Amino acid sequence: MTVTTSSDLSAIISELKRALGDEYVMTEYHQRAIRTASASPFGLHLWQDLLPDVVVMPASTEEVVAVVKAANKYGVPIVPRASGAGLADGAQPMKRGIVVDIKRMCEILEIDDADMTVTVQPGINMQELNKVLRPLNLFFPDDPASYPVNTLGGRIGCSGWSLIGSGYGHLPNLVCSMEVVTPTGEVIRVGEGGGRKIRKSSVGYRIKDLFIGHQGTLGITTEVTLDLAPRPEAELPVFFATRTWEEAHQILYGFNHSGIRSIAGMFAFDEWKVDFLRRDDEAWIPLPEWTKSAVAVCLYGTNEEVEGVKQRVFDIGESAGGVYMGREVSEGDWASRHDRYHLAYHGRNKTKDKIKLMSWSCEDASITWSQLTDVRLEWHQIIADLIDKHPEHFDDWGMFADIGNPFRAWGDYLTEIDIGVNEQEMTPEIWADWIEAKKAIARVSVAHGGSISMAHGGTREGEVDVSCYEELAEGQFELMKRIKRMLDPNNIMNPGKYNLDDAYTEEAQA
Amino acid sequence: MSQQLSSKPFYDEPIEGKQIPLALARDCYAVFACRHKFCREVCPVYIEDRDESHSSYGYHTALLGISEGLGDIAEMHETITNCLECGACETRCPNTIFAGDFYGTSTTTVNLIRKVRRDLVASGTNFAGYDEVLAQVDKYLGYFDGPIEDLTRWADGLDLPFTGETIMFVDYFNAFETTDVPRNAAKILKAAGVDFGILALPGATLGELLDVNLDKFVEMGKYNVEVLTKAGAKRVVIINPHDYVYFTREYTQYIGELPFEVVYITDLLDELVKEGKLDYSGGTGADTKVTYHDPCTLNKMCGVNASPRALISALPGVEFIDVSPVTQWSYCCGKGSASFKVLHPDKAYKIGTTRLEAAADLGVDQLVLACPHCKDQFTDVQARSGVPVEPVHVLSLIATAMGLD
């Protein structure tokens, strides 16, 4: 990537306006500022350095190609941006340049109800899509926590995880094929072999997978064909309260080994999380005082499937010490799964006597069941140490463990610790300690045989060094660099992400 | 009656250039810190143009950025016009839903938009389209200067007194642009045996004033409270939901507790139906399939959405296909609650067309309304778009059912 000069910028802005029209090439301060943050804390003191130079809103593949070609011509970076709700900072510009906001590309291009696929542009969100599919008794079963806002482009960019993925698969399992504009402006179609609507092929390399989860470093998806599912006849959420984390952990074990195929989603709350959710949260359903942890499981399927295993679900939960909290609590909690957000007003200082407006940081490692308890305790200790050092700046908002294996409810858990971060009072020194804490959290995941991220990506400051240089140390990161350099010779696409600037050093190119 | 959950006196402190009051910056931060942007997805403007700078997240974040030294409010003079002031974002904001009651910190985007527009005007950087809005304001304020009899010409032949314990408040828009609405309301109330009067000279209730001249809005509000009190009002019946917002949210904020009860016409008529005082035996059966459009001001800002549905459900010959008021957070007729249609007529048309098409998708004949502005806007949109759904005010359906046409 060359260094952008003001004359380059001026020239490329003129070229972009010719290609997209003046209205969709925006240079005003606020247009750039609002597209700087993603959903993770970044410290307001860093904002100025993260502002892009220009924002464009293309409406078609041709316009995306024009932007990419212009960026290569002038050596200006491109950062694809979808909903901006990602937690790995994939959409955050690290080296200024052009933010390509794809939300105008939101058309449904084809619904094939016979073969149960839909082809869409990447800027549509799942809620909008499912409103259209509902009369056909079909749905697109990608169900992330920010379901009402996420767009397909962002879900592809971060290789998203779904709350009901153990029943229906996660985002990577739901993409049949995609049209991608590569970093040099070529338009390619990637899929299972060459079939646009095929779910499984053995032809060729698995190129499609390369373009899922790349955090905008390898191209921009401009069209995607997705796998749909019949809407379930029955949906049965069951919520168990427990007196200890260990009981909750054992309930998960019981379901893991039960062989019940209609479990679509399942998650456990630890005692820090239960305490946090009790903070004045009108969405939280009151639980008995003795509740220290909880497990929620939800079955999706035909009436016969769900009715047939219902009693066994209760037996598994109760035999491990769980107390079924009744239909109202169970349905209410499941219904609020997309709204369980961490409000700024719920932040507290260490002594809990002051409200501190905080934003939400979420670590989301992939951890096997047997390691959950140790990882949990080590993570909480890291945050406790951080809070001891900075009592006004951080807050432990507790943990979830969500089942993560696609199509089957056993194996890996999305292991999430949520941390309140006081961005408004951040200083460079405290930020540096925060980054060290994130590294420590990431190292715990790796040490326990896990992966740093199941849902968001390992690109944020802090964990990115651990993910590239430690988790992917056995040759994977080296191969990533070679692939990046081959597809993006000018380092145009989202430079700086995943430490891929390493691919362009003299040593790497030798 | 609705009320604002959050008092934000720092909104009174003007923004000048790059100077954002600290309390305002903190308030903006609470929206920015959410960053999940549920507000964006229910915004009818965003749904049309997909530009998130026109969302609650966008506005709050832009102002927060100014407080961090990144920009100047003057740069927002165009963006700030892209708000319908419909309240969808406030309603959907997790800060409102989950923390508003407890902390008193509901999100108040509509007031923020109005404040920024006024601050821009005060600082000499008029927002884009300011002159057109001012022309609209001047037109309607001119009615206050007379001829006085023009303001009640809609009531010719109805023989309504200018005093009473119940006063029906008729705003200028209804009095001049949608006269069938006050006439039907008056006929229905009379037929139901309600004793009521009207004002000879009501003051202006213009949402546009909240964008350009708050002092004038408050002055007119004080006048309205005074003349209503003098007319003997113990209960004021409102027939324009925009006025319902002004009386229940703005007047109480800027003037104080009102010396009379304020009731929306659909709530009152619903009570009368339950008391058996609306007689549908003499009317003609409508034989129509309808759905209902929640006015933004009534639904999103005041939470009044049950009574219109109850009224429609009670009408003989009407098949009612309902759409939940929560789904309708993302709907708007396109006119907005103040200046939007004047500022962005093309977007207003698109938003209205999208809503009308959603009604057409239900296979209905008519879209029932409870707001004169919606009626006016959808009539324009329907004529221009040809979408085969007829906009009709609920009072018109009731009057027909009662044989009052």
Side-chain angles (χ1 to χ4, degrees):
Chain A
M1 190 192 68
T2 54
V3 175
T4 308
T5 66
S6 57
S7 60
D8 288 338
L9 260 183
S10 173
I12 196 171
I13 287 168
S14 298
E15 195 159 325
L16 293 170
K17 285 183 175 177
R18 281 195 295 278
L20 273 67
D22 289 0
E23 187 181 350
Y24 299 111
V25 179
M26 299 175 285
T27 55
E28 297 94 333
Y29 129 77
H30 60 274
Q31 295 285 6
R32 296 179 290 125
I34 67 164
R35 292 174 174 90
T36 299
S38 57
S40 274
F42 73 137
L44 302 183
H45 66 290
L46 302 171
W47 204 341
Q48 179 74 56
D49 297 335
L50 296 169
L51 286 176
D53 296 306
V54 56
V55 173
V56 297
M57 292 184 69
S60 66
T61 303
E62 291 71 28
E63 290 186 356
V64 172
V65 169
V67 173
V68 173
K69 289 197 166 171
N72 276 278
K73 178 178 168 186
Y74 292 97
V76 177
I78 286 177
V79 182
R81 184 178 182 88
S83 178
L87 287 156
D89 286 349
Q92 188 179 88
M94 295 175 72
K95 303 199 172 178
R96 308 185 79 92
I98 306 164
V99 161
V100 181
D101 182 333
I102 52 93
K103 287 193 283 295
R104 278 181 72 218
M105 300 177 69
C106 57
E107 298 294 319
I108 297 174
L109 303 172
E110 185 203 37
I111 298 173
D112 181 344
D113 56 341
D115 290 323
M116 297 200 292
T117 65
V118 65
T119 301
V120 298
Q121 289 186 308
I124 191 167
N125 83 31
M126 277 88 77
Q127 186 161 276
E128 291 170 319
L129 177 57
N130 278 331
K131 272 184 200 167
V132 176
L133 295 172
R134 190 177 187 97
L136 302 171
N137 201 34
L138 294 171
F139 80 126
F140 177 58
D142 185 26
D143 193 77
S146 15
Y147 169 81
V149 300
N150 281 163
T151 61
L152 264 306
R155 297 293 292 156
I156 292 165
C158 70
S159 187
W161 164 90
S162 165
L163 280 154
I164 54 172
S166 289
Y168 294 92
H170 300 288
L171 187 282
N173 314 111
L174 298 171
V175 173
C176 298
S177 69
M178 295 187 289
E179 178 187 85
V180 179
V181 176
T182 70
T184 49
E186 295 167 83
V187 181
I188 59 171
R189 188 96 195 176
V190 297
E192 293 288 332
R196 291 189 173 216
K197 298 178 182 176
I198 297 299
R199 281 81 167 180
K200 172 72 178 75
S201 166
S202 295
V203 173
Y205 291 170
R206 295 197 55 75
I207 300 293
K208 177 182 72 173
D209 289 349
L210 197 54
F211 293 93
I212 296 175
H214 58 78
Q215 300 286 346
T217 62
L218 291 183
I220 300 177
T221 295
T222 47
E223 184 185 307
V224 56
T225 299
L226 302 163
D227 189 15
L228 302 178
R231 294 188 69 82
E233 283 179 352
E235 185 180 315
L236 178 70
V238 181
F239 191 101
F240 297 104
T242 65
R243 289 174 170 79
T244 65
W245 160 259
E246 286 69 24
E247 287 175 341
H249 194 220
Q250 279 306 309
I251 293 175
L252 297 180
Y253 183 89
F255 287 123
N256 289 163
H257 290 261
S258 69
I260 298 173
R261 299 306 305 267
S262 49
I263 295 176
M266 176 168 67
F267 43 89
F269 309 61
D270 82 349
E271 58 265 46
W272 278 267
K273 181 58 74 183
V274 171
D275 278 349
F276 172 74
L277 291 171
R278 282 175 165 148
R279 285 181 196 173
D280 328 313
D281 191 333
E282 294 160 42
W284 181 243
I285 299 153
L287 290 173
E289 191 65 29
W290 51 262
T291 306
K292 297 295 181 192
S293 287
V295 173
V297 58
C298 192
L299 312 182
Y300 278 36
T302 63
N303 289 327
E304 293 84 355
E305 284 168 338
V306 172
E307 191 60 37
V309 296
K310 191 163 81 175
Q311 189 55 49
R312 188 183 291 205
V313 168
F314 291 122
D315 292 345
I316 291 169
E318 288 170 357
S319 67
V323 176
Y324 174 55
M325 297 309 296
R327 183 173 172 174
E328 188 181 357
V329 167
S330 300
E331 290 183 352
D333 184 76
W334 185 248
S336 69
R337 67 193 184 279
H338 303 130
D339 271 334
R340 197 176 281 127
Y341 279 112
H342 303 88
L343 303 184
Y345 287 103
H346 286 164
R348 300 287 187 274
N349 62 343
K350 181 185 174 185
T351 50
K352 310 291 186 242
D353 58 354
K354 274 193 272 184
I355 292 170
K356 287 283 180 181
L357 293 189
M358 291 183 176
S359 71
W360 170 47
S361 178
C362 172
E363 307 297 325
D364 68 310
S366 187
I367 302 290
T368 51
W369 176 87
S370 66
Q371 304 300 305
L372 281 178
T373 297
D374 288 346
V375 167
R376 189 179 76 93
L377 294 175
E378 289 176 45
W379 277 8
H380 280 306
Q381 188 57 53
I382 291 166
I383 300 308
D385 293 343
L386 186 66
I387 293 170
D388 281 343
K389 194 168 179 185
H390 303 294
E392 305 295 312
H393 288 79
F394 301 99
D395 191 8
D396 189 337
W397 288 356
M399 285 181 62
F400 290 117
D402 301 69
I403 192 68
N405 194 353
F407 303 115
R408 51 192 78 93
W410 59 83
D412 314 337
Y413 282 82
L414 189 164
T415 307
E416 168 179 337
I417 185 163
D418 300 310
I419 305 150
V421 179
N422 183 345
E423 292 172 321
Q424 284 189 300
E425 297 173 7
M426 190 56 66
T427 67
E429 293 73 26
I430 299 172
W431 184 260
D433 286 343
W434 165 238
I435 296 304
E436 286 305 310
K438 285 168 62 63
K439 280 184 186 171
I441 287 171
R443 286 195 171 110
V444 168
S445 310
V446 175
H448 284 273
S451 174
I452 287 167
S453 175
M454 179 182 279
H456 310 142
T459 57
R460 282 179 300 181
E461 191 181 7
E463 69 253 28
V464 67
D465 291 346
V466 185
S467 61
C468 294
Y469 305 138
E470 298 176 31
E471 180 176 339
L472 302 175
E474 295 177 284
Q476 288 193 75
F477 185 58
E478 287 305 311
L479 191 54
M480 277 175 65
K481 288 192 290 187
R482 275 185 258 164
I483 291 168
K484 169 72 172 171
R485 204 167 59 232
M486 179 184 74
L487 291 178
D488 187 6
N490 299 319
N491 197 13
I492 288 298
M493 293 298 302
N494 215 352
K497 287 279 151 47
Y498 265 131
N499 289 342
L500 285 166
D501 284 359
D502 290 4
Y504 301 88
T505 62
E506 284 184 16
E507 185 188 351
Q509 296 191 65
Chain B
M1 185 183 294
S2 74
Q3 58 175 337
Q4 293 222 307
L5 291 173
S6 305
S7 169
K8 298 187 177 176
F10 48 84
Y11 275 21
D12 297 336
E13 198 177 331
I15 303 169
E16 292 171 3
K18 299 181 177 183
Q19 301 301 312
I20 302 285
L22 277 178
L24 176 60
R26 181 179 156 89
D27 191 59
C28 289
Y29 175 78
V31 174
F32 165 77
C34 169
R35 302 223 262 281
H36 285 93
K37 310 175 186 79
F38 295 153
C39 53
R40 181 184 70 194
E41 301 302 323
V42 294
C43 172
V45 177
Y46 170 79
I47 289 168
E48 289 304 326
D49 68 18
R50 314 294 287 185
D51 183 349
E52 64 186 323
S53 74
H54 304 153
S55 68
S56 175
Y57 166 79
Y59 294 125
H60 285 89
T61 302
L63 291 171
L64 180 68
I66 292 172
S67 78
E68 294 289 319
L70 300 183
D72 188 308
I73 188 178
E75 287 186 60
M76 294 176 66
H77 75 285
E78 282 193 21
T79 290
I80 203 71
T81 64
N82 279 283
C83 176
L84 287 155
E85 302 171 62
C86 77
C89 55
E90 299 180 356
T91 310
R92 184 64 182 93
C93 179
N95 287 338
T96 301
I97 297 173
F98 303 129
D101 285 343
F102 188 85
Y103 298 97
T105 49
S106 294
T107 297
T108 49
T109 315
V110 174
N111 279 352
L112 180 69
I113 293 295
R114 291 168 176 169
K115 168 199 167 44
V116 172
R117 288 178 184 175
R118 292 196 302 267
D119 287 352
L120 279 167
V121 172
S123 67
T125 308
N126 292 340
F127 58 82
Y130 170 74
D131 290 342
E132 287 80 358
V133 174
L134 212 56
Q136 185 86 342
V137 166
D138 289 344
K139 171 188 162 186
Y140 280 96
L141 281 181
Y143 293 137
F144 190 68
D145 298 326
I148 188 170
E149 55 274 19
D150 284 356
L151 281 162
T152 52
R153 202 170 300 287
W154 64 267
D156 283 355
L158 292 176
D159 193 24
L160 301 175
F162 293 130
T163 58
E165 291 192 356
T166 295
I167 297 287
M168 187 170 86
F169 184 86
V170 179
D171 58 288
Y172 297 177
F173 190 82
N174 265 320
F176 290 98
E177 313 286 347
T178 51
T179 53
D180 58 317
V181 173
R183 279 191 75 81
N184 281 329
K187 286 187 207 170
I188 294 165
L189 290 179
K190 284 183 76 164
V194 177
D195 289 327
F196 70 99
I198 57 172
L199 292 180
L201 180 58
T205 49
L206 292 173
E208 290 88 342
L209 283 172
L210 291 163
D211 287 338
V212 297
N213 191 340
L214 179 61
D215 290 343
K216 191 69 179 175
F217 179 86
V218 174
E219 177 192 322
M220 280 289 161
K222 286 178 177 169
Y223 168 82
N224 277 328
V225 173
E226 184 185 332
V227 293
L228 283 162
T229 307
K230 279 186 182 166
K234 292 183 178 168
R235 177 172 67 168
V236 175
V237 180
I238 303 289
I239 59 169
N240 180 337
H242 294 211
D243 291 346
Y244 191 68
V245 174
Y246 306 147
F247 274 76
T248 60
R249 287 173 51 144
E250 310 299 345
Y251 288 179
T252 50
Q253 180 184 350
Y254 295 115
I255 299 169
E257 193 177 340
L258 301 180
F260 41 72
E261 178 194 359
V262 178
V263 61
Y264 194 63
I265 183 74
T266 55
D267 284 344
L268 176 59
L269 295 183
D270 186 32
E271 281 177 28
L272 294 171
V273 168
K274 286 171 182 158
E275 291 167 9
K277 292 182 178 169
L278 295 196
D279 180 4
Y280 293 143
S281 61
T284 52
D287 191 21
T288 181
K289 190 172 173 182
V290 308
T291 190
Y292 171 65
H293 173 77
D294 280 298
C296 301
T297 38
L298 212 52
N299 181 36
K300 304 173 199 175
M301 293 184 178
C302 299
V304 175
N305 46 49
S307 59
R309 288 174 168 77
L311 288 170
I312 295 166
S313 298
L315 285 168
V318 171
E319 183 185 350
F320 181 26
I321 311 293
D322 195 12
V323 174
S324 120
V326 174
T327 299
Q328 298 206 36
W329 287 353
S330 61
Y331 291 174
C332 178
C333 71
K335 191 166 189 179
S337 71
S339 314
F340 187 80
K341 189 177 179 183
V342 173
L343 294 166
H344 295 286
D346 291 344
K347 280 186 191 175
Y349 170 71
K350 285 182 186 171
I351 292 165
T353 305
T354 298
R355 171 63 185 103
L356 206 56
E357 285 172 344
D361 288 345
L362 299 172
V364 299
D365 308 310
Q366 293 177 312
L367 179 61
V368 182
L369 311 164
C371 168
H373 300 283
C374 293
K375 173 70 165 48
D376 182 60
Q377 165 71 351
F378 279 126
T379 301
D380 281 355
V381 168
Q382 200 280 330
R384 191 171 151 194
S385 67
V387 176
V389 174
E390 180 197 6
V392 58
H393 198 288
V394 67
L395 295 177
S396 170
L397 289 180
I398 294 171
T400 301
M402 295 175 73
L404 300 173
D405 293 18

